[in-house]
Amino acid sequence: MSSFKAGIQKLGKAMLLPVAAMPFAGLIMRLAADDMLNIAILGAAGNAIFGNLDILFAIGVAIGFAKAKDKAIPALTGFLAIATLQKGLEIMNPDVNMGIFGGIISGLVAAWTYNRFKNQKLPMIFSFFAGEKFPLTMVMILQTISAAIFGIIWPIIQNGIDSFAAMLVGMGALGVGIYMFLNRILIPFGLHHVLNTYVYFDLGSYTSPSGEVFRGEITRFINGDPSAGLFLSGFFIVMMFGVPGICLAIYRAAFKEKREMVKGTMGSGAATSFVANITEPVEFSFMFISPLLYTVHALFAGLAGIVTYLLDIRIGFTFGACIIDYLINFRIATNPLLIIPVGIAFFFLYYFTFYYLIKKKNIPTLGREEEKEYADEADESEKDISLASKNYAYMAKKLLDALGGVGNIEDAFSCNTRLRVEVKDPSVVDEQRIKQLGISGMIKPTETNYQIIIGLEVTYVMEELNKLIQSN
């Protein structure tokens, strides 16, 4: 269980890279669309992120699981892993698209390869390729094998999901609800796009007055099929109302002194979901912290699908289930006005449920880190030390000493507000001394993992800590 928790912590770290880039990328993609500003080069910047999420996840996972202070080689190993897998799959089966799942697998393979072979010795004539460079060679070999395996088994997995999606069609409202639930619950594994592909582009058939045949919920709706849109309508409830409700709950549940910081993050997340149909920045902020909250989110998404089906709401999208597509497709939709009252009801359902669970279960969502706590032996000078002094170098030095020195650091990185450290020997860590340094709190998710809550200035403390680590 301890190893599992440590793995979840590292997986959460791996999500920081793509998540950090998503909000702005999603907004500029929507603003750059043909029906808005129509600036192609602006949209290309957003597509650079969302068109390469598998690469970002591969690099992020490799960095998160690699045991190294300098993450440059692990990051390159992660890139080579996903690049090799992609090219191998093109040869094995050009129709295979593993999406984010391929990125996560590649990142894990890259991290394992780096950890296993980073100290590899070779004959003198090949010494240039030894040590940290050797994983760059090995990962290409291993991912070539992975491409051969997934090229064979992934179509079977994909066909199974396609068959399951076809079965949902015959289940009416319950089928739509199950689809919406699975759409959310599969996101952490990157498998939702496989289910979506069938629903979006192959579900059902419609022959236009001109005799042209169209397949898929999205394609049929845009081309005038009055029966299309039942599998898509629920997304408007979740993206335009549900996710903003989550954001408000996280903001309101945050400690008062931290709400200003949370407001910016959650406000951006709500706007991105409402305007651009991008929910990952919000969902990834709590899915690994609390599987309970994420399961509730998926259940509510399923409920939204059932309600819109029973109310015969039929509306589709091209870019995504956001306010822009809602307005654009309003004229050709069935009962689109009902989206507003149903959405408002779900906004409050999401808000009150999430707020209650966060507070009742004391879930450490953004802004709910532990309060400051001092040991009895802390003297007045230690209590006066705070990050407001801007003495980041001093703070980093004292933290490093309390953590057992450079030799005891297995891994260290920072997220939005926390310094996350993995140590080799927890028995030499002076936890009380850490708490006396003016930090906001400390969480110990596993025996060897520490989350030191510093606040927004953690970036500067991490910078100074890296200098100390690299100089030794």
Side-chain angles (χ1 to χ4, degrees):
M1 182 58 67
S2 178
S3 297
F4 176 75
K5 288 181 178 179
I8 292 297
Q9 289 293 317
K10 289 185 177 181
L11 189 59
K13 166 189 175 180
M15 305 304 165
L16 294 176
L17 279 178
V19 170
M22 284 179 192
F24 184 68
L27 287 173
I28 63 175
M29 278 182 66
R30 189 58 211 141
L31 291 173
D34 294 343
D35 53 316
M36 295 195 73
L37 299 180
N38 192 23
I39 304 176
I41 194 170
L42 186 63
N47 277 317
I49 302 300
F50 288 99
N52 295 290
L53 281 181
D54 52 351
I55 295 176
L56 289 179
F57 274 86
I59 294 173
V61 171
I63 290 174
F65 284 86
K67 297 179 180 178
K69 294 180 177 66
D70 184 350
K71 301 294 187 178
I73 297 297
L76 180 57
T77 307
F79 172 77
L80 290 177
I82 185 63
T84 304
L85 179 66
Q86 288 176 339
K87 291 300 180 182
L89 289 175
E90 287 179 9
I91 300 300
M92 291 296 298
N93 189 337
D95 295 328
V96 170
N97 177 14
M98 294 180 66
I100 292 175
F101 183 77
I104 294 174
I105 290 294
S106 297
L108 291 172
V109 171
W112 180 87
T113 304
Y114 177 83
N115 294 335
R116 173 64 177 81
F117 296 106
K118 64 181 177 180
N119 297 317
Q120 184 69 40
K121 291 181 173 56
L122 296 174
M124 191 58 65
I125 191 173
F126 299 117
S127 60
F128 176 79
F129 302 100
E132 276 199 319
K133 299 186 186 74
F134 193 63
L136 301 178
T137 300
M138 286 302 300
V139 78
M140 289 188 285
I141 297 173
L142 293 175
Q143 283 298 84
T144 298
I145 297 172
S146 296
I149 295 172
F150 281 110
I152 296 172
I153 68 172
W154 192 258
I156 299 173
I157 297 172
Q158 188 162 334
N159 287 337
I161 295 176
D162 287 348
S163 298
F164 179 71
M167 181 187 70
L168 294 179
V169 177
M171 298 175 66
L174 181 60
V176 174
I178 293 174
Y179 163 67
M180 289 285 294
F181 170 79
L182 291 176
N183 175 271
R184 295 293 98 186
I185 212 72
L186 290 175
I187 284 179
F189 308 100
L191 295 174
H192 60 295
H193 74 282
V194 181
L195 190 61
N196 289 344
T197 297
Y198 177 83
V199 173
Y200 289 175
F201 307 113
D202 200 44
L203 175 61
S205 177
Y206 169 65
T207 303
S208 69
S210 64
E212 197 170 357
V213 178
F214 299 98
R215 297 187 63 84
E217 279 277 277
I218 288 178
T219 310
R220 289 189 293 114
F221 177 82
I222 295 303
N223 286 279
D225 184 356
S227 67
L230 286 173
F231 276 78
L232 306 178
S233 302
F235 287 110
F236 286 90
I237 303 298
V238 176
M239 277 54 171
M240 290 172 54
F241 298 94
V243 172
I246 294 173
C247 292
L248 181 61
I250 293 176
Y251 165 72
R252 294 279 298 137
F255 298 139
K256 289 183 179 180
E257 64 273 16
K258 298 180 180 180
R259 283 182 184 167
E260 195 62 31
M261 178 271 291
V262 176
K263 182 198 295 186
T265 304
M266 288 296 107
S268 173
T272 301
S273 181
F274 187 79
V275 175
N277 187 59
I278 305 299
T279 61
E280 286 87 348
V282 177
E283 290 169 327
F284 278 106
S285 76
F286 68 86
M287 68 168 59
F288 294 105
I289 292 174
S290 175
L292 169 64
L293 287 181
Y294 196 74
T295 301
V296 170
H297 172 42
L299 287 170
F300 283 175
L303 181 60
I306 292 174
V307 171
T308 53
Y309 183 98
L310 294 176
L311 293 175
D312 195 31
I313 301 173
R314 302 167 188 254
I315 183 169
F317 48 80
T318 51
F319 176 77
C322 57
I323 185 61
I324 304 300
D325 263 307
Y326 175 73
L327 296 175
I328 290 173
N329 295 316
F330 188 90
R331 291 186 303 103
I332 59 174
T334 302
N335 298 323
L337 275 176
L338 292 178
I339 290 285
I340 305 300
V342 173
I344 292 173
F346 269 84
F347 173 86
F348 287 108
L349 176 64
Y350 266 96
Y351 167 70
F352 286 117
T353 303
F354 269 65
Y355 182 80
Y356 172 79
L357 289 175
I358 291 170
K359 300 281 281 189
K360 181 72 173 179
K361 301 290 186 181
N362 197 25
I363 298 172
T365 49
L366 189 63
R368 288 187 58 80
E369 293 83 0
E370 286 184 347
E371 290 294 331
K372 187 178 297 185
E373 181 181 359
Y374 295 108
D376 293 337
E377 63 268 30
D379 60 36
E380 290 304 314
S381 64
E382 288 172 329
K383 290 184 180 181
D384 289 338
I385 295 173
S386 69
L387 297 187
S389 68
K390 311 300 181 184
N391 198 344
Y392 308 123
Y394 177 83
M395 171 67 77
K397 183 178 184 303
K398 291 299 182 182
L399 280 173
L400 187 59
D401 290 342
L403 289 164
V406 174
N408 197 40
I409 304 299
E410 183 70 43
D411 191 17
F413 63 98
S414 63
C415 60
N416 290 338
T417 59
R418 301 181 182 188
L419 180 66
R420 302 183 182 222
V421 183
E422 181 181 357
V423 300
K424 297 176 182 177
D425 183 4
S427 67
V428 302
V429 176
D430 191 340
E431 296 183 14
Q432 295 301 326
R433 185 67 175 173
I434 294 173
K435 294 175 181 178
Q436 294 165 14
L437 291 175
I439 64 170
S440 296
M442 184 173 68
I443 300 172
K444 192 177 179 183
T446 71
E447 189 64 25
T448 58
N449 283 270
Y450 294 83
Q451 295 182 14
I452 302 169
I453 302 159
I454 292 175
L456 295 178
E457 292 175 298
V458 68
T459 302
Y460 306 119
V461 177
M462 186 70 236
E463 183 180 345
E464 295 298 332
L465 187 64
N466 277 331
K467 291 178 183 178
L468 294 172
I469 292 174
Q470 293 168 9
S471 65
N472 287 272

